[in-house]
Amino acid sequence: MRQNIIDGISKREFIFSKLLQIVALAFLSTLVLFIAGFINGSIYSHVWGAEYIFDEMEFLLAYFYDIVVYCTLAFMLALFINKAGFAIIALFLYTMMFEPLITVNMIYNPNINDGIAPYIAQYFPIRSLNNLIPIPYSKYIFMEIEDNVPLSAVWISTGWFAIFLSLIFLKLNKKDLN
């Protein structure tokens, strides 16, 4: 980052180039998912038609948005933790261990799940991103599933996205890179 600034890129251009890279990678990942889904749908589906192919495309947009917000979280952690290896470990531990343990404890712990804790759990960043596209396995155990993207999860994720971007801008504006 310091070398980019020395070469003449402003801090604002640096941030926007990284955000553009995040959006490009998310778009590429979404395109690969669309192509894989189209190929699988073409092979295993017994119906054809544009209305079936493009049905429920909001999940694809939610996937794109999920990737953008998650990569912005990773970018923010990379700025706050200077060593790349430690930033990757911190992101992995937070995503796979700390937040899931905290939120599951808030939802299912009989000592605290009577109050407001289960409602607060949905406002954690990774939980809100996971709520964008609910896991469909619950339909196999006779539970009700959502067949749309929950608007509340979109708003919560947008709030976290704004927080991550604000922290990125604040960190880079305060950081001395000379």
Side-chain angles (χ1 to χ4, degrees):
M1 178 173 52
R2 181 174 286 138
Q3 186 62 43
N4 287 326
I5 303 298
I6 290 172
D7 289 343
I9 295 176
S10 69
K11 291 179 184 180
R12 172 167 262 149
E13 289 172 340
F14 176 76
I15 292 172
F16 287 126
S17 70
K18 292 300 178 188
L19 292 177
L20 184 63
Q21 182 181 11
I22 287 171
V23 169
L25 287 173
F27 177 76
L28 183 65
S29 176
T30 305
L31 182 65
V32 167
L33 182 69
F34 174 76
I35 292 170
F38 183 76
I39 290 171
N40 278 329
S42 299
I43 293 171
Y44 297 112
S45 179
H46 60 280
V47 292
W48 279 88
E51 68 272 4
Y52 299 111
I53 293 172
F54 297 108
D55 188 28
E56 297 183 8
M57 289 297 275
E58 67 268 8
F59 288 108
L60 205 58
L61 292 174
Y63 175 77
F64 172 79
Y65 189 63
D66 189 353
I67 299 287
V68 169
V69 175
Y70 187 77
C71 288
T72 306
L73 168 65
F75 179 40
M76 183 199 68
L77 280 177
L79 285 177
F80 281 95
I81 303 172
N82 291 330
K83 301 291 183 187
F86 290 140
I88 292 170
I89 290 170
L91 182 66
F92 179 76
L93 288 176
Y94 180 75
T95 303
M96 297 293 175
M97 195 167 94
F98 296 140
E99 185 179 316
L101 287 175
I102 292 169
T103 55
V104 165
N105 190 28
M106 291 174 77
I107 294 171
Y108 296 112
N109 187 345
N111 297 326
I112 61 172
N113 71 351
D114 293 338
I116 196 168
Y119 299 107
I120 293 174
Q122 70 178 344
Y123 291 100
F124 280 76
I126 302 302
R127 173 67 73 158
S128 67
L129 290 176
N130 288 340
N131 287 340
L132 280 175
I133 304 173
I135 297 174
Y137 298 123
S138 59
K139 72 179 179 182
Y140 299 118
I141 54 173
F142 306 112
M143 293 178 65
E144 184 178 339
I145 62 166
E146 291 190 35
D147 58 350
N148 58 3
V149 178
L151 197 56
S152 62
V154 173
W155 286 115
I156 295 168
S157 298
T158 302
W160 281 112
F161 184 61
I163 290 170
F164 297 153
L165 285 179
S166 300
L167 289 173
I168 288 169
F169 277 104
L170 285 173
K171 177 68 174 175
L172 280 181
N173 285 335
K174 289 185 178 187
K175 193 172 191 176
D176 183 27
L177 298 173
N178 296 328

